[in-house]
Amino acid sequence: MTFGAAWRDRFRFEAGIAYLNHGSFGAVPRVVLDAVAGWRERMEVEPVRHFSREVPVALAQARTALAARLNADPDGIGFVENATAGANAVLASIEWRPGDTVVTTSHVYNAVRNAIRHWAGRAGATLVEADVPFPSGGEDEIVAVVEAALTPRTRLLLVDHIASSTALVFPIGRLIALARARGIPILVDGAHGPGMVDVDLRAIGADWYVGNCHKWLFGPRGSAFVYAAPEHRASLHPPVISHGYGQGLTREFDWVGTRDMTPWLALPTALDFSAEIGPQRIAAHNRALLAEAVALIERRWGTQAGVAPSQRGFMAAIQMPRTGAATPERAIAMHDHLFDHYGIEVPVFAFGGALWARISAQIYNELDDYRRLADATWPAS
Ligand SMILES: Cc1ncc(COP(=O)(O)O)c(C=O)c1O
């Protein structure tokens, strides 16, 4: 099975774009879009039958299918629209006390940083960001930096499974063990986890894990989940309280008012899509392609990726040649330049005083996509 350009037709990409940003919003296979369309049709032809009879059954089936993929107990999985909503649910459900701290890292996703500020801040709890160096010095360094930030006042440790801009895969097994040894609850922000790295929710032992299906699991946008360990299920609520209040995690999350449920209902089709190809085969392709692409770009640009291959999943941030100030504004200008002049869709971030291009590798990509980026030039600012 040869991936690459031959697989682009399974998706609905516009012609001519080197699409190197699966990470931000995923890409949905046609077969999954068809499943969504099928469910939308069911919703429209008889809305009452859809919401009162079809949805409860199909949602339970979708949850069972997702739980099997994540090796989780379905009763611990609540469907949410996105990882941000899942993180908000956890943060809103914790009983904060004045003087508590939430420890996270300098790689935290900004929306989640804001959610911590909002929910914990309301009760007088504060945010502490452990400064995890980037380029990364490796797992031991990360664990040591996070450990140094923990104190008896730490009420929650929140770590990314894979960080957004730096694409660093955090050693969550070690970080969970660290938190558990100190009796500190831990929330893993796995927005990029499922589909990119093995996620075994029974084995990893986090208190809560939030994950997107619409990034690396080929799910429709708006399909995500929050998982809670058994001891936290009764106290985890969606930020929107509705009919299911007090009736258990799944009932509370299944109904937060009338909304389009089709992204979750189409999840089994997305899971079948990757199962038929084989998650191991997808991973092997994406990792090998990423390694080749990074080496090619590093050679052309004379710079380096921020993390060693052992700390990468299907994404890597590569430092851009210095052509001006490393500001967020310059990052946007560089992105727009690459898109407008070369048809390259790649995110550019300012981090730690440098600009980084974060490339993604997915089954529809091939080395030519990255050659375009390697050969691009840009004006000095
Ligand atoms: C680490 C991390 N957390 C949270 C999010 C937010 O995901 P969503 O927009 O699906 O809520 C992202 C998105 O890229 C992310 O990378």
Side-chain angles (χ1 to χ4, degrees), residues 98-365:
D100 284 346
T101 64
V102 183
V103 172
T104 187
T105 78
S106 45
H107 296 233
V108 68
Y109 190 68
N110 194 47
V112 175
R113 175 189 282 126
N114 287 342
I116 299 171
R117 283 199 186 119
H118 176 74
W119 294 111
R122 285 155 66 110
T126 51
L127 170 63
V128 174
E129 288 187 24
D131 198 2
V132 170
F134 187 75
S136 172
E139 290 191 2
D140 291 350
E141 179 184 75
I142 296 170
V143 175
V145 165
V146 171
E147 184 166 21
L150 302 177
T151 73
R153 301 311 304 266
T154 307
R155 178 78 178 78
L156 176 73
L157 174 62
L158 191 162
V159 286
D160 296 339
H161 201 162
I162 296 113
S164 172
S165 38
T166 60
L168 174 62
V169 178
F170 276 75
I172 58 155
R174 290 178 64 183
L175 294 171
I176 290 168
L178 176 68
R180 293 243 144 188
R182 302 277 197 109
I184 297 170
I186 178 163
L187 163 60
V188 177
D189 176 356
H192 285 277
M196 188 197 290
V197 289
D198 285 337
V199 177
D200 182 330
L201 290 176
R202 280 197 179 89
I204 64 174
D207 291 274
W208 304 273
Y209 187 103
V210 299
N212 280 326
C213 305
H214 55 224
K215 288 189 189 289
W216 298 95
L217 272 183
F218 301 113
R221 282 178 206 91
S223 58
F225 67 91
V226 54
Y227 169 81
E231 63 271 29
H232 298 297
R233 288 181 193 161
S235 58
L236 179 67
H237 307 287
V240 175
I241 298 299
S242 186
H243 295 301
Y245 186 58
Q247 294 174 23
L249 187 154
T250 58
R251 293 192 76 148
E252 289 205 26
F253 280 86
D254 277 2
W255 192 266
V256 296
T258 308
R259 58 179 169 170
D260 183 350
M261 310 276 203
T262 59
W264 304 295
L265 304 187
L267 260 185
T269 308
L271 295 168
D272 284 350
F273 176 83
S274 72
E276 278 161 22
I277 302 170
Q280 302 311 328
R281 192 178 257 166
I282 293 170
H285 168 268
N286 293 354
R287 286 173 182 281
L289 180 60
L290 185 73
E292 270 191 280
V294 167
L296 171 73
I297 295 168
E298 284 179 334
R299 261 198 321 276
R300 296 280 167 86
W301 289 1
T303 60
Q304 284 201 309
V307 301
S310 61
Q311 287 178 285
R312 287 182 207 149
F314 302 164
M315 303 191 294
I318 306 162
Q319 191 168 348
M320 302 189 81
R322 193 167 284 278
T323 57
T327 59
E329 296 73 30
R330 177 79 178 148
I332 293 169
M334 294 284 263
H335 163 272
D336 293 352
H337 172 79
L338 290 167
F339 186 79
D340 295 342
H341 293 265
Y342 298 97
I344 301 166
E345 188 61 80
V346 70
V348 178
F349 300 100
F351 197 95
L355 289 186
W356 303 82
R358 189 199 69 189
I359 58 171
S360 294
Q362 189 48 287
I363 51 174
Y364 50 77
N365 288 123

Side-chain angles (χ1 to χ4, degrees), residues 64-90:
T64 302
L66 180 64
R69 175 73 194 256
L70 303 172
N71 189 27
D73 172 2
D75 291 344
I77 291 183
F79 283 127
V80 289
E81 277 91 353
N82 48 56
T84 309
N88 271 270
V90 174

